[in-house]
Amino acid sequence: MPSYRGGYTAFLHDFSANFQYSNQIDNNIQTNIVVQYVINKKGRLIGARIFNKEDKDLSCFDKAVLEALEKVQNWTPGEYHHKKVNVIIKQTIQIDMH
């Protein structure tokens, strides 16, 4: 499986550093958001999307999550039989903005 350099804690730190959402109406958000993306053979995060949601249905909040994910690029690619491979990852990210 692919791994984020520095582990899950580093992933969350980098995601948080890149996540920018400032809607005055939604300034108190607690949610779990399910995302899906591919870590390709070169260790790049590509194809990020909100799981089970079409692009036309994305909120501004969803778009901010995807923009932050696209900037989190410090991955070691997955391998299968000693060959680097593309791997699809489905992950839940907990967001707590107070």
Side-chain angles (χ1 to χ4, degrees), residues 26-44:
D26 296 329
N27 61 358
N28 189 18
I29 298 172
Q30 282 185 292
T31 189
N32 291 326
I33 191 158
V34 181
V35 296
Q36 184 173 324
Y37 50 88
V38 173
I39 303 302
N40 71 11
K41 297 174 188 179
K42 296 180 180 180
R44 300 287 298 167

Side-chain angles (χ1 to χ4, degrees), residues 6-21:
Y8 187 67
T9 302
F11 169 82
L12 289 178
H13 176 270
D14 292 350
F15 175 82
S16 295
N18 289 300
F19 182 69
Q20 296 188 8
Y21 180 74

Side-chain angles (χ1 to χ4, degrees), residues 2 5 37-47 69-78 85-87:
R5 292 184 182 108
Y37 50 88
V38 173
I39 303 302
N40 71 11
K41 297 174 188 179
K42 296 180 180 180
R44 300 287 298 167
L45 185 150
I46 59 171
L69 267 180
E70 292 288 342
K71 295 176 182 174
V72 180
Q73 294 291 344
N74 201 10
W75 293 89
T76 300
V85 294
N86 295 342
V87 178

